[in-house]
Amino acid sequence: MMMPSVRVLSLLAFTLKSQVHCFTFKPRFQSRLAVSFAEKSAKAPDGGSTGHIVQGMKEPSSEEKAIQERVAMHQQDQVKLGASEEIRSLVQYNHGFAVMSTNSQSIDGYPSGSIVGFAPDEQGRPIFIFSGMSTHTQDLLKDGRCSLTVASKSFKGPSDGRVNIVGDVVKVPAAEREACRDIYLKKHPGAFWVDFGDFTWFRLETIKAVRFVGGFARAGAISSEDYFGASPDPIQQFAEPVMKHMNDDHGATALAMVNNLIGVPATTADIVGLDRLGMYIKCDGGPMGASKLRLAFPRPAENRKDVKDLIVELSKAAALAAP
């Protein structure tokens, strides 16, 4: 039997050791954490598994245990966005494309998937402009029930966030189409087809379920009321160029933060998430292997200047904490 790689085992070892509230958001957003690798996975009330079983996992050394426990203690104190705000922000700042699953009208009883462009309105409702020739358009005209899977703009793998929204898509009333056009063109400025006569405006109007996976051991759901009641984090609208600048020109700074403020003896580090309360850093190397860790700001950021000042403050703290 093929054994899991050392890096995967190291990541899972940290995940398994982490405390529950390290990954918990709000009460309705229930984290599902992996169970101990030495125990069998228990059954949840719905008959599903409450965690993962990792067969043949090597017992970590005393040094690795000490690092895992130190990092777990650090992580449980790092403030982060609530689930509703994080989900609403992911949908808002996504690149504008997602996977829509509809009930196929050509193959009875089977789903049909399409990559579609979208733009969320002020309430977070995804707006679409579809050609009459598209199969998903034909599906929706017969049955508006669908799901939309939206990945984070920086999505590269299972440690990155994604949201699945289930609901009903309807045609946009004529009186609201001009506003939808403005919203869509702001997200997709090159969408010249918005004025084609055989294209129709649609909107995911009624949301039945919102499911979220934020990475390893972070999964759950929120209500439609919580989704509609949340606002996008304002800092994330300019986070990408800030992160790129830090990673390209100040890579050693992120590594120093991981080494000296979080306590992970990594050899590489990149900032992959930035919001008003802090940042997420992906690191690799050393006994921990690959990890995605949270580092909170000393105080919330309100604008771009605040973000710069807070990163400088953390950089200085990391330098002072160096052994």
Side-chain angles (χ1 to χ4, degrees):
M1 181 177 69
M2 183 179 292
M3 298 294 290
S5 70
V6 172
R7 289 187 177 183
V8 171
L9 289 175
S10 298
L11 174 59
L12 285 172
F14 167 65
T15 300
L16 297 172
K17 289 288 183 178
S18 300
Q19 299 298 313
V20 172
H21 52 289
C22 177
F23 297 99
T24 299
F25 291 95
K26 290 183 178 179
R28 290 185 181 179
F29 186 77
Q30 300 175 351
S31 298
R32 297 177 181 176
L33 296 182
V35 296
S36 168
F37 60 82
E39 300 173 349
K40 276 198 167 184
S41 176
K43 291 294 181 181
D46 62 0
S49 172
T50 58
H52 306 290
I53 299 175
V54 182
Q55 300 291 345
M57 189 169 183
K58 182 182 176 182
E59 179 72 21
S61 66
S62 57
E63 177 189 2
E64 290 170 337
K65 285 183 179 179
I67 293 172
Q68 292 164 12
E69 290 171 1
R70 181 171 67 246
V71 173
M73 289 184 65
H74 174 274
Q75 290 294 285
Q76 69 187 26
D77 294 330
Q78 301 304 295
V79 294
K80 55 178 70 70
L81 299 179
S84 301
E85 186 177 5
E86 183 169 357
I87 291 169
R88 184 69 179 80
S89 300
L90 187 153
V91 173
Q92 182 70 33
Y93 302 121
N94 162 274
H95 41 54
F97 294 93
V99 176
M100 174 178 279
S101 299
T102 54
N103 290 309
S104 176
Q105 298 304 304
S106 59
I107 308 176
D108 187 47
Y110 285 85
S112 178
S114 303
I115 296 176
V116 300
F118 80 97
D121 66 9
E122 294 85 353
Q123 298 179 47
R125 298 174 300 180
I127 295 169
F128 315 96
I129 178 75
F130 290 151
S131 165
M133 295 186 295
S134 299
T135 56
H136 50 266
T137 304
Q138 298 166 28
D139 292 343
L140 292 170
L141 290 174
K142 293 289 185 64
D143 185 347
R145 295 175 298 175
C146 76
S147 79
L148 190 73
T149 300
V150 185
S152 65
K153 192 172 184 178
S154 59
F155 186 89
K156 292 182 179 179
S159 64
D160 299 316
R162 55 271 196 196
V163 174
N164 178 251
I165 303 174
V166 179
D168 299 305
V169 169
V170 300
K171 284 185 177 182
V172 175
E176 301 175 29
R177 290 171 191 166
E178 189 63 31
C180 287
R181 182 182 183 277
D182 292 342
I183 292 170
Y184 196 88
L185 285 175
K186 187 175 181 180
K187 179 66 100 174
H188 302 277
F192 56 87
W193 53 88
V194 298
D195 295 321
F196 285 5
D198 61 338
F199 277 63
T200 303
W201 288 103
F202 291 91
R203 183 167 57 213
L204 209 169
E205 187 77 18
T206 305
I207 292 180
K208 301 292 186 180
V210 182
R211 305 184 183 97
F212 174 66
V213 178
F216 291 112
R218 295 179 63 227
I222 62 171
S223 68
S224 58
E225 292 82 8
D226 286 341
Y227 177 81
F228 286 128
S231 297
D233 169 62
I235 299 301
Q236 292 185 42
Q237 63 186 314
F238 56 77
E240 190 170 3
V242 174
M243 293 188 293
K244 187 177 187 304
H245 168 69
M246 288 298 300
N247 293 332
D248 291 349
D249 301 334
H250 305 283
T253 298
L255 184 59
M257 292 177 186
V258 169
N259 293 160
N260 305 331
L261 298 182
I262 301 179
V264 176
T267 56
T268 64
D270 287 300
I271 300 172
V272 296
L274 183 66
D275 56 66
R276 63 187 177 85
L277 300 180
M279 65 183 85
Y280 286 100
I281 304 176
K282 274 187 181 178
C283 55
D284 203 351
M288 285 287 294
S291 304
K292 182 178 178 181
L293 303 169
R294 178 72 174 176
L295 183 61
F297 289 145
R299 57 192 175 278
E302 296 183 3
N303 51 52
R304 192 163 186 158
K305 183 180 183 304
D306 283 348
V307 171
K308 178 182 177 181
D309 292 344
L310 288 163
I311 291 176
V312 169
E313 191 172 327
L314 287 173
S315 302
K316 292 180 179 178
L320 290 173

